[in-house]
Amino acid sequence: FFFARYKMKLIFVVLLLIALPACFATTSTYNIDSVNGADNSTDCSDSEPCASVMGALNAYIASNTTNDIAINVAAGTYTGVNNIGITFPGGDIEISIEGSAEDEVIFDGNNSPDWIFTAVTSFDVSDITFQNAAGGVIITSEDDLDIESTTFFNIGTGVSFNGEDISLDSVSFNSTDVGVYVTDAVTIDFEGCNFVGESTTGISIQITTTNVTEITFDTLTFENTGGISVSVSPDTDFEDNDLQMNDIEMTGITSAVAISLTNGRWTIEDSPITTCTTAISYTGSGNFTEVD
């Protein structure tokens, strides 16, 4: 009996050790530098960086790994086919791309008709400026998107999302056609974002499924721009405070309605709206609850 129990414990420990690597994802880190890097670098290390995003991705592919990907981007301007119109690898991985400092890393599409970055897996972006292209960042899979301290300038659509969770923190949209376009999500969280000069709309969310559980807009500013348009399915079962707008400051709104809402139980608080044709429009079902 003693040896049988010992054998069972030993088998359990062996199985646990086999399973542990799958529980803790490993990240492969690549460094790129448009000035001092070279795409013939085999590892894109800090001392021997690659020159482009594609150089980093080629090094990742050559490594024959399924690790998560982290790309650190040195200050500089990144352009051309090795940096613009990039589709990142898919699969069960997470990808992050981080600039060395806010306003120091620029991906310039030079009026490209393409999206600068296309992702089909969980994707994080921080401290990057995207400019002069048809689109900035698009994600088209059932995954997450997290963008922080990033600017979209002179872009057709800054961000397009169809996935699970999207978070924007301290993101600026300047002179785009559409700042953010969301067609499906589970949670939507925008905080500390600025919208200036969007010709069509700042935020457009059009969700026809019942997947969404929470939408939160907190401390957003809109100036001389299109406003907010949100439509959710009337069949979605929202609770109070699932759909919130707090501290939304809007002035000089160029769209017909500053905040246009269809369906859902919304709460809007501490949100001054000036210089617009119509401040708030609500249609559909959901017992529009409170404006303070």
Side-chain angles (χ1 to χ4, degrees):
F1 177 73
F2 171 79
F3 288 105
R5 282 201 309 171
Y6 178 80
K7 184 177 181 181
M8 289 178 63
K9 288 182 178 180
L10 182 61
I11 293 173
F12 173 78
V13 170
V14 171
L15 291 175
L16 181 62
L17 290 174
I18 293 173
L20 277 175
C23 298
F24 298 94
T26 302
T27 300
S28 296
T29 300
Y30 303 89
N31 298 273
I32 66 173
D33 187 329
S34 63
V35 177
N36 301 306
D39 281 344
N40 58 5
S41 173
T42 57
D43 59 1
C44 302
S45 64
D46 187 44
S47 59
E48 295 184 5
C50 289
S52 68
V53 173
M54 187 55 68
L57 294 181
N58 286 337
Y60 172 79
I61 294 169
S63 70
N64 195 30
T65 181
T66 57
N67 292 346
D68 293 344
I69 303 172
I71 300 176
N72 298 325
V73 188
T77 298
Y78 296 78
T79 190
V81 295
N82 287 331
N83 293 298
I84 308 299
I86 302 297
T87 298
F88 287 82
D92 188 19
I93 61 173
E94 296 182 3
I95 300 173
S96 67
I97 180 163
E98 180 177 358
S100 58
E102 191 173 359
D103 301 327
E104 292 187 0
V105 175
I106 300 171
F107 282 82
D108 191 338
N110 287 326
N111 300 317
S112 168
D114 298 322
W115 288 87
I116 294 179
F117 289 163
T118 298
V120 292
T121 188
S122 293
F123 198 63
D124 292 356
V125 178
S126 60
D127 297 310
I128 304 285
T129 294
F130 298 93
Q131 64 185 37
N132 304 324
V137 175
I138 181 171
I139 185 165
T140 58
S141 60
E142 295 181 2
D143 287 288
D144 303 336
L145 176 62
D146 190 339
I147 303 179
E148 182 176 352
S149 303
T150 290
T151 297
F152 296 88
F153 175 73
N154 193 30
I155 295 280
T157 299
V159 175
S160 179
F161 181 79
N162 184 333
E164 189 162 313
D165 301 325
I166 176 172
S167 173
L168 305 182
D169 187 355
S170 304
V171 178
S172 296
F173 299 88
N174 193 327
S175 301
T176 65
D177 292 335
V178 177
V180 187
Y181 181 56
V182 178
T183 54
D184 196 12
V186 176
T187 66
I188 300 169
D189 186 4
F190 299 167
E191 181 176 359
C193 299
N194 303 311
F195 299 82
V196 178
E198 276 58 69
S199 60
T200 304
T201 187
I203 298 172
S204 177
I205 298 175
Q206 311 296 322
I207 297 178
T208 58
T209 68
T210 59
N211 295 336
V212 64
T213 61
E214 179 182 331
I215 301 175
T216 302
F217 299 153
D218 193 358
T219 318
L220 309 184
T221 61
F222 295 77
E223 182 178 357
N224 300 322
T225 183
I228 300 172
S229 174
V230 183
S231 174
V232 297
S233 169
D235 298 324
T236 307
D237 185 17
F238 290 110
E239 301 292 335
D240 290 343
N241 300 320
D242 283 346
L243 307 177
Q244 292 193 60
M245 297 188 191
N246 304 307
D247 193 17
I248 311 299
E249 186 172 340
M250 310 181 81
T251 184
I253 302 304
T254 56
S255 54
V257 181
I259 299 176
S260 176
L261 305 174
T262 303
N263 302 320
R265 298 168 60 87
W266 285 91
T267 300
I268 303 175
E269 297 181 328
D270 300 323
S271 298
I273 303 172
T274 61
T275 320
C276 63
T277 303
T278 302
I280 300 173
S281 170
Y282 181 85
T283 58
S285 61
N287 298 322
F288 182 55
T289 54
E290 181 181 356
V291 177
D292 185 6

